[in-house]
Amino acid sequence: MLWNPLSKTKKLIGDAGISFSNAFVASPLCCPSRASILTGKYPHNHHVINNTLEGNCSSKAWQKSEEANTFPALLKANAGYQTFFAGKYLNQYGHSEAGGVEHVPPGWNFWVALEKNSKYYNYTLSVNGKPQKHGADYSKDYLTDVLANMSLDFLQYKSNYQPFFMMVSTPAPHSPWTAAPQYQDSFNSTKAPRDPNFNIHGKDKHWLIRQAKTPMTNSSVQFLDDAFRKRWRTLLSVDDLVEKIVNRLKVRGELDNTYIFFTSDNGYHTGQFSLPLDKRQLYEFDIRVPLMVRGPNIKPNQTSQMLVANVDLGPTILDIAGLDVNKTQMDGMSFLPVMVRSGKVNSSSWRTDILVEYEGEGSNVSDPACPLLGPGVSECFPDCVCEDSYNNTYACVRTVAPSANLQYCEFDDNEVFVEVYNVTADPFQLTNIAKTIDQEVLEKMNHRLMMLQSCAGQSCRTPGVYDPRYKFDPRQMFTSHSWRLGRLRQKMK
């Protein structure tokens, strides 16, 4: 029995390099998170706030203001890289109101992008701006394998005289969770983890978490266990894809001279706090992601506790290419020094906090399947347990420092609801300590959160509350405790 569907990936990337145990996303939802990866910016600076066109997911405004400054565009324009993209780009990519599949973003020499959101069969790819339709024949159309084969083709036919960058973005393990036929019976006895926060009531949390029905119905538990198995099955094909690409690089003699990053755009929950399944929440299970990197000068079998976020991926890759991150508008920072000179960057000189922000979505009308709920909520499935709402809008400072492992969050709702967790003492976030924590810590965290929510570039990298270099001046406190979400809400010009 495999302990994990990504065992080859772990061996070929993690064991051959460094694994980060504190890697987070700037927003626990596909499109805002992917925009953060591409731009190196927090959502309040790239303005992609959800998965809709109106929320700037692959919108004309995004194309005009951000797309030319993504890190792949800078690699191509300023460092002479040949670039290749294959897979899911942004959820609304290919939309007729945003240029259709004919639109190829600047920065890509070879472009193979899925139209719209995740599928495994019966989809359309934009191949360098031309639509390529696929059916339901496993040998020709299973998307994970198609992406693997196109990646191998790129490695075969690219120029050997220029450096290259590939971004392979598999929709798996996203729904609809369609496994390859040879893996349809794998993990038959696997269940979602029964962690201490599984199927319990989040009694001291935001109202959206408190509305989850506890205990969950048997049908909900069956549904989420089934989803967990199906997700793992789809990852077996991702594991094969990683193996194929690593092996091809090895055969070509390029493996030792190539950095390989493996990560994801958000976490996922299956039953924690009785929420059957989704992402979008502020808790560890939705904001934490795997991150493993191998490459030149990275010693094998390393684990790092340093705090990194997906806004750091672009800066790190630009750093590898010899470009100066400070000349960009990026909010993140390069973690290349952590990987290649692991002894020299110690935890007291590394950053201590990052920002997580999310803007909730709700429907203007009641869901006919759940008439009692009224408008303002969304994703109410199964059993009319809602995973999102308009006022599930929050921002958090996630701190990882030698002296503190803390999460501080504020909601943009009528009560400015606050959640605080000591993740060292309470890794499953069972107890919200907002009402018992020292008032001075709350004030400093509130101040720091407001600063990060309005930061841009260098100001996003200033010392956090638990950094020895931090300076707190109460006279600089904002005039009111009210939320500064205006920037996030601003529509892009």
Side-chain angles (χ1 to χ4, degrees), residues 44 355 357 359 393 395 410-412 416 446-447 449-455 476-490:
H44 68 262
L355 175 69
E357 44 193 357
E359 179 146 343
T393 294
E410 287 179 20
F411 282 85
D412 181 23
V416 189
N446 166 256
H447 187 256
L449 180 60
M450 289 196 191
M451 210 227 86
L452 284 174
Q453 279 187 281
S454 55
C455 76
Q476 288 181 325
M477 286 292 276
F478 291 82
T479 44
S480 80
H481 187 92
S482 70
W483 247 64
R484 296 275 181 272
L485 249 191
R487 290 178 64 95
L488 198 55
R489 288 264 163 78
Q490 254 172 18

Side-chain angles (χ1 to χ4, degrees), residues 221-240:
V221 174
Q222 261 177 309
F223 181 73
L224 69 87
D225 277 335
D226 190 43
F228 189 88
R229 280 190 284 277
K230 286 176 170 167
R231 286 163 61 79
W232 267 30
R233 289 170 188 148
T234 68
L235 286 172
L236 290 168
S237 295
V238 176
D239 207 33
D240 293 340

Side-chain angles (χ1 to χ4, degrees), residues 165-465:
F165 170 73
M166 302 171 70
M167 190 167 186
V168 185
S169 177
T170 65
H174 200 287
S175 60
W177 314 311
T178 314
Q182 69 271 31
Y183 296 136
Q184 269 162 1
D185 296 321
S186 304
F187 303 121
N188 270 341
S189 60
T190 300
K191 290 181 168 177
R194 298 316 199 239
D195 288 332
N197 52 11
F198 181 83
N199 203 9
I200 67 156
H201 190 239
K203 57 186 183 307
D204 53 10
K205 294 174 170 44
H206 193 237
W207 74 269
L208 185 70
I209 309 302
R210 297 198 304 268
Q211 58 86 44
K213 298 180 175 75
T214 309
M216 292 179 285
T217 61
N218 288 347
S219 61
S220 274
V221 174
Q222 261 177 309
F223 181 73
L224 69 87
D225 277 335
D226 190 43
F228 189 88
R229 280 190 284 277
K230 286 176 170 167
R231 286 163 61 79
W232 267 30
R233 289 170 188 148
T234 68
L235 286 172
L236 290 168
S237 295
V238 176
D239 207 33
D240 293 340
L241 172 149
V242 170
E243 182 183 44
K244 286 175 195 162
I245 291 175
V246 171
N247 284 347
R248 180 61 56 90
L249 287 166
K250 194 171 177 182
V251 167
R252 292 179 53 83
E254 293 174 327
L255 183 59
D256 292 341
N257 199 27
T258 304
Y259 288 93
I260 306 175
F261 292 72
F262 181 90
T263 190
S264 179
D265 56 352
N266 49 252
Y268 204 72
H269 56 260
T270 40
Q272 293 95 324
F273 302 127
S274 302
L275 297 167
L277 70 164
D278 197 28
K279 47 240 177 178
R280 305 170 204 267
Q281 309 308 338
L282 57 85
Y283 306 102
E284 295 283 282
F285 42 73
D286 286 358
I287 63 173
R288 216 173 239 289
V289 286
L291 174 61
M292 304 185 278
V293 192
R294 70 170 289 168
N297 302 317
I298 299 179
K299 293 193 186 77
N301 292 307
Q302 292 186 74
T303 304
S304 173
Q305 264 92 47
M306 302 289 184
L307 175 62
V308 293
N310 61 351
V311 292
D312 302 329
L313 292 166
T316 303
I317 292 166
L318 293 180
D319 194 7
I320 286 169
L323 295 174
D324 182 357
V325 183
N326 292 323
K327 294 197 172 131
T328 70
Q329 308 278 299
M330 294 186 178
D331 301 332
M333 56 196 285
S334 168
F335 54 85
L336 182 62
V338 174
M339 300 194 290
V340 298
R341 296 185 292 279
S342 55
K344 292 209 181 133
V345 175
N346 61 27
S347 47
S348 62
S349 61
W350 189 244
R351 66 122 82 82
T352 59
D353 63 11
I354 53 146
L355 175 69
V356 178
E357 44 193 357
Y358 178 70
E359 179 146 343
E361 291 178 82
S363 168
N364 292 333
V365 292
S366 282
D367 182 342
C370 308
L372 296 176
L373 293 174
V377 289
S378 63
E379 314 293 328
C380 301
F381 178 83
D383 288 328
C384 293
V385 172
C386 302
E387 298 278 359
D388 210 2
S389 68
Y390 281 130
N391 70 0
N392 184 38
T393 294
Y394 58 79
C396 304
V397 183
R398 185 68 183 84
T399 300
V400 177
S403 60
N405 186 354
L406 196 73
Q407 186 171 15
Y408 171 89
C409 303
E410 287 179 20
F411 282 85
D412 181 23
D413 60 9
N414 296 339
E415 48 182 343
V416 189
F417 194 83
V418 176
E419 293 191 27
V420 186
Y421 298 97
N422 174 351
V423 187
T424 310
D426 179 21
F428 296 100
Q429 297 174 301
L430 302 173
T431 309
N432 174 11
I433 56 171
K435 292 193 166 60
T436 55
I437 196 169
D438 183 43
Q439 192 59 35
E440 191 190 349
V441 174
L442 281 181
E443 277 181 27
K444 286 180 177 176
M445 289 317 248
N446 166 256
H447 187 256
R448 178 68 178 158
L449 180 60
M450 289 196 191
M451 210 227 86
L452 284 174
Q453 279 187 281
S454 55
C455 76
Q458 178 53 43
S459 61
C460 299
R461 303 189 286 273
T462 53
V465 172

